[in-house]
Amino acid sequence: MVVKPRGESFGLTEALVRALAGETRLVELTGDDLADGSRLVREAKGQKVLFAIGPKSAEVAGEARGTSVVSVGVANPAQVRTPGTYISFYPRLDKVFEYLRGTLKAKSVGFVFTPARNREIALAFVKAGEAAGVAVVPVTIGSTGDLYRSIKPALGKVDALLLAIGDPVTTSRESVEYIVEQAEAAKKPTVGFLEGLTREGVTLALVVPPAAMAKAAAEAAELPPAVGKKRIEVDQMQVVVSRKAAEAIGSSPEALGAQR
């Protein structure tokens, strides 16, 4: 059984149904948490595994007892109460830093995030950066004022800015526009992890293809149920580059290793 939010737009539902390669029941949430939870408790009886797409679906799936939960499309599992296996939206971080150090020639990068939403992910990036020999400078944004005070000084210390997924900073068009404007002025690339950000002026995105996330989810369902929360990073990574944004910093998609 696949639990999905209404209007899911990352292509994960279709990819997951294909990966499961069988008759798959879809349960679409209505947005009424109480009603959705009650319905799922009834309909999940006899199910060994529930596949949840997005944080809201993962929360609701946790209401069903006696089933294990495998989630995709959750940026930071620490923000969700449900134990289970979480297929990361981020590519394997060693691959991310291999790209940053190799293609971008970055010795230091800024990680832009809101502590209340992405503290755990920021810590994972700091640790992965240390292992790869790339310094990760946390750029913490708690308010609009922080954004205007922090971005320009950070750009003077780093070779690129990384933007956390599912963060108030990266879900605000105005914030992304300001970050992009300042980064272009400094001729520094901005790096997101959702393809859609490249349409908002972010230089490039390092993304996990939906099919790869779905395949990892299907394979995780065959493993023993996770104790607590288990986060799995997917091996595949695609480099998606905005030609306009690349040229704005004096580069090109080819120089940035674009695959799309």
Side-chain angles (χ1 to χ4, degrees):
M1 180 184 291
V2 175
V3 185
K4 65 181 290 289
R6 181 173 292 175
E8 185 272 312
S9 60
F10 291 105
L12 292 173
T13 300
E14 295 80 1
L16 189 52
V17 168
R18 286 194 297 270
L20 294 175
E23 186 175 340
T24 304
R25 186 175 181 185
L26 292 177
V27 175
E28 184 173 81
L29 302 182
T30 66
D32 182 330
D33 292 352
L34 186 60
D36 286 334
S38 298
R39 176 190 175 195
L40 200 61
V41 167
R42 294 193 306 271
E43 297 190 11
K45 289 181 179 177
Q47 299 286 325
K48 292 183 178 180
V49 180
L50 289 181
F51 294 91
I53 297 175
K56 180 61 72 175
S57 297
E59 288 280 13
V60 173
E63 298 294 325
R65 305 303 178 195
T67 62
S68 59
V69 177
V70 176
S71 298
V72 295
V74 177
N76 183 4
Q79 295 288 312
V80 181
R81 293 171 297 176
T82 303
T85 300
Y86 290 81
I87 310 303
S88 180
F89 242 142
Y90 296 94
R92 264 180 45 187
L93 295 189
D94 60 340
K95 283 185 171 291
V96 169
F97 282 96
E98 179 182 339
Y99 172 84
L100 296 173
R101 186 180 59 189
T103 302
L104 292 192
K105 310 300 182 188
K107 296 180 179 178
S108 64
V109 296
F111 188 77
V112 183
F113 72 105
T114 302
R117 187 67 62 86
N118 269 308
R119 186 184 305 276
E120 297 81 6
I121 298 299
L123 179 60
F125 268 82
V126 169
K127 289 182 176 179
E130 288 176 352
V134 177
V136 177
V137 179
V139 184
T140 57
I141 308 297
S143 66
T144 302
D146 287 344
L147 180 72
Y148 294 128
R149 284 189 295 269
S150 301
I151 294 300
K152 192 171 182 178
L155 282 163
K157 302 174 184 176
V158 302
D159 301 310
L161 283 182
L162 313 185
L163 309 181
I165 298 175
D167 197 281
V169 178
T170 55
T171 54
S172 163
R173 185 179 296 273
E174 292 79 9
S175 295
V176 172
E177 286 178 354
Y178 179 76
I179 292 169
V180 167
E181 175 186 286
Q182 294 300 312
E184 287 183 354
K187 301 299 181 184
K188 304 284 179 73
T190 46
V191 181
F193 298 91
L194 295 177
E195 182 176 346
L197 286 174
T198 60
R199 293 189 286 273
E200 296 183 27
V202 172
T203 314
L204 64 99
L206 304 177
V207 302
V208 180
M213 273 191 271
K215 182 175 182 290
E219 291 172 349
E222 301 300 322
L223 301 175
V227 176
K229 295 176 185 174
K230 179 180 181 181
R231 182 169 166 269
I232 295 177
E233 294 177 349
V234 179
D235 191 55
Q236 291 187 45
M237 182 180 83
Q238 289 187 340
V239 183
V240 183
V241 178
S242 162
R243 181 174 297 277
K244 181 179 179 182
E247 291 174 349
I249 62 168
S251 187
S252 68
E254 293 74 21
L256 295 174
Q259 293 166 300
R260 285 194 288 130

Coordinates of all heavy atoms in Angstrom, one line a residue, residues 158-219:
V158 N 33.4 31.3 1.3 CA 33.2 30.0 0.7 C 33.3 30.0 -0.8 O 33.2 31.1 -1.4 CB 31.9 29.4 1.1 CG1 31.8 29.3 2.7 CG2 30.7 30.2 0.6
D159 N 33.4 28.8 -1.4 CA 33.4 28.7 -2.9 C 32.1 28.4 -3.5 O 31.9 28.5 -4.7 CB 34.4 27.6 -3.3 CG 35.8 27.9 -2.7 OD1 36.3 29.0 -2.9 OD2 36.4 27.0 -2.1
A160 N 31.1 28.0 -2.7 CA 29.8 27.7 -3.2 C 28.8 27.8 -2.0 O 29.2 27.6 -0.9 CB 29.7 26.4 -3.9
L161 N 27.5 27.9 -2.3 CA 26.5 27.9 -1.3 C 25.6 26.7 -1.6 O 25.1 26.5 -2.7 CB 25.6 29.1 -1.3 CG 26.2 30.4 -0.7 CD1 25.1 31.5 -0.7 CD2 26.6 30.2 0.8
L162 N 25.3 25.8 -0.6 CA 24.4 24.7 -0.7 C 23.1 25.1 0.0 O 23.1 25.7 1.1 CB 25.0 23.5 0.0 CG 26.4 23.1 -0.3 CD1 26.8 21.8 0.3 CD2 26.7 23.0 -1.8
L163 N 22.0 24.7 -0.6 CA 20.7 25.0 0.0 C 19.9 23.8 0.4 O 19.7 22.9 -0.4 CB 19.8 25.8 -1.1 CG 20.5 27.0 -1.8 CD1 19.6 27.6 -2.8 CD2 21.0 28.0 -0.8
A164 N 19.6 23.7 1.7 CA 18.9 22.6 2.3 C 17.5 22.4 1.6 O 16.8 23.3 1.3 CB 18.8 22.7 3.8
I165 N 17.1 21.1 1.6 CA 15.8 20.8 1.1 C 14.7 21.0 2.1 O 14.9 20.8 3.3 CB 15.7 19.3 0.7 CG1 16.7 19.0 -0.5 CG2 14.3 18.9 0.2 CD1 16.8 17.5 -0.8
G166 N 13.5 21.4 1.7 CA 12.4 21.5 2.6 C 12.6 22.5 3.7 O 12.0 22.4 4.8
D167 N 13.3 23.6 3.5 CA 13.7 24.6 4.5 C 12.9 25.8 4.2 O 12.6 26.2 3.0 CB 15.2 24.9 4.4 CG 15.7 25.6 5.6 OD1 15.5 26.8 5.8 OD2 16.3 24.9 6.5
P168 N 12.5 26.6 5.2 CA 11.8 27.8 4.9 C 12.6 28.8 4.0 O 12.0 29.5 3.2 CB 11.6 28.5 6.3 CG 11.6 27.3 7.3 CD 12.5 26.3 6.7
V169 N 13.9 28.7 4.1 CA 14.7 29.5 3.2 C 14.5 29.2 1.7 O 14.3 30.0 0.9 CB 16.2 29.5 3.6 CG1 17.0 30.3 2.6 CG2 16.4 29.9 5.0
T170 N 14.6 27.9 1.4 CA 14.5 27.4 0.0 C 13.1 27.3 -0.5 O 12.9 27.1 -1.7 CB 15.3 26.1 -0.1 OG1 14.7 25.1 0.8 CG2 16.8 26.3 0.2
T171 N 12.1 27.3 0.4 CA 10.7 27.3 -0.1 C 10.2 28.7 -0.3 O 9.0 28.8 -0.7 CB 9.8 26.5 0.8 OG1 10.0 27.0 2.2 CG2 10.2 25.0 0.8
S172 N 10.9 29.7 0.0 CA 10.5 31.1 -0.1 C 11.1 31.6 -1.4 O 12.4 31.7 -1.5 CB 10.9 32.0 1.0 OG 10.9 33.3 0.7
R173 N 10.3 32.0 -2.4 CA 10.8 32.5 -3.7 C 11.7 33.8 -3.4 O 12.7 34.0 -4.1 CB 9.7 32.8 -4.6 CG 10.1 33.2 -6.0 CD 8.9 33.5 -6.9 NE 8.1 32.3 -7.1 CZ 8.4 31.4 -8.1 NH1 9.4 31.6 -8.9 NH2 7.6 30.4 -8.2
E174 N 11.2 34.6 -2.5 CA 12.0 35.9 -2.3 C 13.3 35.6 -1.7 O 14.3 36.2 -2.1 CB 11.2 36.8 -1.3 CG 9.9 37.3 -1.9 CD 8.7 36.3 -1.9 OE1 8.9 35.2 -1.3 OE2 7.7 36.6 -2.5
S175 N 13.4 34.6 -0.8 CA 14.7 34.3 -0.2 C 15.7 33.7 -1.2 O 16.8 34.0 -1.3 CB 14.5 33.3 1.0 OG 13.8 33.9 2.0
V176 N 15.1 32.8 -2.1 CA 16.0 32.2 -3.1 C 16.5 33.3 -4.1 O 17.6 33.3 -4.5 CB 15.2 31.1 -3.8 CG1 16.0 30.6 -5.0 CG2 14.9 29.9 -2.9
E177 N 15.6 34.2 -4.4 CA 16.0 35.3 -5.3 C 17.1 36.1 -4.8 O 18.1 36.5 -5.5 CB 14.8 36.1 -5.7 CG 13.8 35.5 -6.6 CD 12.6 36.4 -6.9 OE1 12.5 37.5 -6.2 OE2 11.8 36.1 -7.7
Y178 N 17.0 36.4 -3.5 CA 18.1 37.2 -2.8 C 19.4 36.4 -2.8 O 20.5 37.0 -3.1 CB 17.7 37.6 -1.4 CG 18.7 38.4 -0.7 CD1 18.9 39.7 -1.0 CD2 19.5 37.8 0.3 CE1 19.9 40.5 -0.4 CE2 20.5 38.5 0.9 CZ 20.7 39.8 0.6 OH 21.7 40.6 1.2
I179 N 19.3 35.1 -2.4 CA 20.6 34.3 -2.4 C 21.2 34.3 -3.8 O 22.4 34.4 -3.9 CB 20.2 32.9 -1.9 CG1 19.8 33.0 -0.4 CG2 21.4 32.0 -2.0 CD1 19.3 31.7 0.1
V180 N 20.4 34.0 -4.8 CA 20.9 33.9 -6.1 C 21.5 35.3 -6.6 O 22.6 35.3 -7.2 CB 19.8 33.5 -7.1 CG1 20.2 33.7 -8.6 CG2 19.4 32.0 -6.9
E181 N 20.9 36.3 -6.3 CA 21.3 37.7 -6.6 C 22.7 37.9 -6.0 O 23.6 38.4 -6.7 CB 20.3 38.7 -6.2 CG 20.8 40.2 -6.4 CD 19.8 41.1 -5.7 OE1 18.7 41.3 -6.3 OE2 20.1 41.7 -4.7
Q182 N 22.9 37.6 -4.7 CA 24.1 37.9 -4.1 C 25.2 36.9 -4.6 O 26.4 37.3 -4.7 CB 23.9 37.7 -2.6 CG 23.0 38.7 -1.9 CD 23.6 40.2 -2.1 OE1 24.7 40.4 -1.9 NE2 22.7 41.1 -2.5
A183 N 24.9 35.7 -4.8 CA 25.8 34.7 -5.3 C 26.3 35.1 -6.7 O 27.5 34.9 -7.0 CB 25.2 33.3 -5.3
E184 N 25.4 35.5 -7.6 CA 25.8 35.9 -8.9 C 26.7 37.1 -8.9 O 27.7 37.2 -9.6 CB 24.6 36.2 -9.8 CG 23.8 34.9 -10.2 CD 22.6 35.2 -11.1 OE1 22.3 36.4 -11.3 OE2 22.0 34.3 -11.6
A185 N 26.5 38.0 -8.0 CA 27.3 39.2 -7.8 C 28.7 38.8 -7.4 O 29.7 39.4 -7.8 CB 26.7 40.2 -6.9
A186 N 28.8 37.8 -6.6 CA 30.1 37.3 -6.1 C 30.7 36.2 -7.1 O 31.8 35.7 -6.8 CB 29.9 36.6 -4.7
K187 N 30.0 35.9 -8.1 CA 30.4 34.9 -9.1 C 30.7 33.5 -8.4 O 31.6 32.8 -8.7 CB 31.7 35.3 -9.8 CG 31.6 36.6 -10.6 CD 30.5 36.5 -11.7 CE 30.4 37.8 -12.5 NZ 29.3 37.7 -13.5
K188 N 29.8 33.2 -7.5 CA 29.8 31.9 -6.8 C 28.6 31.0 -7.2 O 27.5 31.6 -7.2 CB 29.9 32.1 -5.3 CG 31.0 33.0 -4.8 CD 32.3 32.3 -4.8 CE 33.4 33.2 -4.3 NZ 33.4 33.4 -2.8
P189 N 28.8 29.7 -7.4 CA 27.6 28.9 -7.7 C 26.7 28.6 -6.5 O 27.2 28.5 -5.4 CB 28.2 27.6 -8.2 CG 29.6 27.6 -7.6 CD 30.0 29.0 -7.4
T190 N 25.4 28.5 -6.7 CA 24.5 28.0 -5.7 C 24.1 26.6 -6.1 O 23.9 26.2 -7.3 CB 23.2 28.9 -5.7 OG1 22.8 29.1 -7.0 CG2 23.5 30.2 -5.0
V191 N 24.0 25.7 -5.1 CA 23.8 24.3 -5.3 C 22.5 23.9 -4.5 O 22.5 23.9 -3.3 CB 25.0 23.4 -4.9 CG1 24.7 21.9 -5.2 CG2 26.2 23.9 -5.6
G192 N 21.5 23.4 -5.2 CA 20.3 22.9 -4.6 C 20.3 21.4 -4.8 O 21.2 20.8 -5.4
F193 N 19.2 20.8 -4.2 CA 19.1 19.3 -4.3 C 17.7 18.9 -4.8 O 17.3 17.8 -4.8 CB 19.3 18.7 -3.0 CG 20.7 18.9 -2.5 CD1 21.1 20.0 -1.7 CD2 21.8 18.1 -2.9 CE1 22.4 20.3 -1.3 CE2 23.1 18.3 -2.5 CZ 23.4 19.4 -1.7
L194 N 17.0 19.9 -5.4 CA 15.7 19.7 -6.1 C 15.8 20.4 -7.5 O 16.2 21.5 -7.5 CB 14.5 20.3 -5.3 CG 14.2 19.6 -4.0 CD1 13.1 20.4 -3.3 CD2 13.8 18.2 -4.1
E195 N 15.4 19.7 -8.5 CA 15.6 20.2 -9.9 C 14.8 21.5 -10.0 O 15.3 22.4 -10.8 CB 15.1 19.2 -10.9 CG 15.2 19.6 -12.3 CD 14.8 18.5 -13.3 OE1 14.7 17.4 -12.9 OE2 14.7 18.9 -14.5
G196 N 13.7 21.7 -9.4 CA 12.9 22.9 -9.6 C 13.6 24.2 -9.2 O 13.3 25.2 -9.7
L197 N 14.6 24.1 -8.3 CA 15.3 25.3 -7.9 C 16.1 25.9 -9.1 O 16.4 27.1 -9.1 CB 16.3 25.0 -6.8 CG 15.6 24.8 -5.4 CD1 16.7 24.3 -4.4 CD2 14.9 26.0 -4.9
T198 N 16.5 25.1 -10.1 CA 17.3 25.6 -11.2 C 16.4 26.5 -12.0 O 16.9 27.4 -12.8 CB 17.8 24.5 -12.1 OG1 16.8 23.7 -12.6 CG2 18.8 23.6 -11.3
R199 N 15.1 26.3 -11.9 CA 14.1 27.2 -12.7 C 13.9 28.5 -11.9 O 13.3 29.5 -12.5 CB 12.8 26.5 -12.9 CG 12.9 25.3 -13.9 CD 11.6 24.8 -14.2 NE 11.0 24.0 -13.2 CZ 11.2 22.7 -13.0 NH1 12.0 22.0 -13.7 NH2 10.6 22.1 -12.0
E200 N 14.4 28.6 -10.7 CA 14.3 29.8 -9.9 C 15.7 30.6 -9.8 O 15.9 31.5 -9.0 CB 13.8 29.5 -8.5 CG 12.4 28.9 -8.5 CD 11.9 28.7 -7.1 OE1 12.3 29.4 -6.2 OE2 11.0 27.8 -7.0
G201 N 16.6 30.1 -10.7 CA 17.9 30.9 -10.7 C 19.1 30.2 -10.0 O 20.2 30.7 -10.1
V202 N 18.8 29.1 -9.3 CA 19.9 28.4 -8.6 C 20.8 27.7 -9.7 O 20.3 27.2 -10.7 CB 19.4 27.3 -7.7 CG1 20.5 26.4 -7.2 CG2 18.6 28.0 -6.5
T203 N 22.1 27.8 -9.6 CA 23.0 27.4 -10.6 C 22.8 25.9 -11.0 O 22.7 25.6 -12.2 CB 24.5 27.6 -10.2 OG1 24.6 28.9 -9.6 CG2 25.4 27.5 -11.4
L204 N 22.8 25.1 -10.0 CA 22.7 23.6 -10.4 C 22.0 22.9 -9.2 O 21.9 23.4 -8.1 CB 24.1 23.1 -10.7 CG 25.1 23.1 -9.5 CD1 25.1 21.7 -8.8 CD2 26.5 23.4 -10.0
A205 N 21.6 21.7 -9.5 CA 21.0 20.8 -8.5 C 21.6 19.4 -8.7 O 21.8 18.9 -9.8 CB 19.5 20.7 -8.7
L206 N 21.9 18.9 -7.5 CA 22.4 17.5 -7.5 C 21.2 16.6 -7.0 O 20.8 16.8 -5.8 CB 23.6 17.4 -6.5 CG 24.8 18.3 -6.8 CD1 25.9 18.2 -5.8 CD2 25.3 18.1 -8.2
V207 N 20.6 15.8 -7.8 CA 19.4 15.2 -7.5 C 19.4 13.7 -7.7 O 20.2 13.1 -8.4 CB 18.2 15.7 -8.4 CG1 18.1 17.2 -8.3 CG2 18.5 15.4 -9.9
V208 N 18.6 13.0 -6.9 CA 18.4 11.6 -7.0 C 17.2 11.4 -7.9 O 16.1 11.9 -7.7 CB 18.1 10.9 -5.6 CG1 17.9 9.4 -5.8 CG2 19.2 11.2 -4.7
P209 N 17.3 10.6 -9.0 CA 16.2 10.4 -9.9 C 15.1 9.7 -9.1 O 15.3 8.8 -8.3 CB 16.8 9.5 -11.0 CG 18.2 9.7 -10.9 CD 18.6 10.0 -9.5
P210 N 13.8 10.1 -9.4 CA 12.7 9.4 -8.7 C 12.7 7.9 -8.8 O 12.4 7.2 -7.9 CB 11.5 10.0 -9.4 CG 11.9 11.4 -9.8 CD 13.3 11.2 -10.2
A211 N 13.1 7.4 -10.0 CA 13.1 5.9 -10.2 C 14.1 5.3 -9.3 O 13.9 4.1 -8.8 CB 13.4 5.6 -11.6
A212 N 15.3 5.9 -9.0 CA 16.3 5.4 -8.1 C 15.8 5.4 -6.7 O 16.0 4.4 -5.9 CB 17.6 6.2 -8.2
M213 N 15.1 6.4 -6.3 CA 14.5 6.5 -4.9 C 13.5 5.4 -4.7 O 13.4 4.7 -3.7 CB 13.9 7.8 -4.6 CG 14.8 8.9 -4.1 SD 14.0 10.3 -3.5 CE 13.9 11.3 -5.0
A214 N 12.7 5.2 -5.8 CA 11.6 4.2 -5.7 C 12.2 2.8 -5.6 O 11.7 1.9 -4.9 CB 10.7 4.3 -6.9
K215 N 13.2 2.5 -6.4 CA 13.9 1.2 -6.4 C 14.5 0.9 -5.0 O 14.4 -0.2 -4.5 CB 15.0 1.2 -7.5 CG 15.7 -0.1 -7.6 CD 16.7 -0.1 -8.8 CE 17.4 -1.5 -8.9 NZ 18.4 -1.7 -7.9
A216 N 15.1 1.9 -4.4 CA 15.7 1.8 -3.1 C 14.6 1.5 -2.1 O 14.8 0.7 -1.1 CB 16.5 3.0 -2.7
A217 N 13.4 2.1 -2.2 CA 12.3 1.9 -1.3 C 11.8 0.5 -1.4 O 11.5 -0.2 -0.4 CB 11.2 2.9 -1.6
A218 N 11.6 0.0 -2.7 CA 11.2 -1.4 -2.9 C 12.1 -2.4 -2.3 O 11.7 -3.4 -1.7 CB 11.0 -1.6 -4.4
E219 N 13.4 -2.1 -2.5 CA 14.4 -3.0 -1.9 C 14.4 -3.0 -0.4 O 14.6 -4.0 0.3 CB 15.8 -2.7 -2.5 CG 15.9 -3.0 -4.0 CD 17.2 -2.5 -4.6 OE1 17.9 -1.7 -3.9 OE2 17.5 -2.8 -5.7

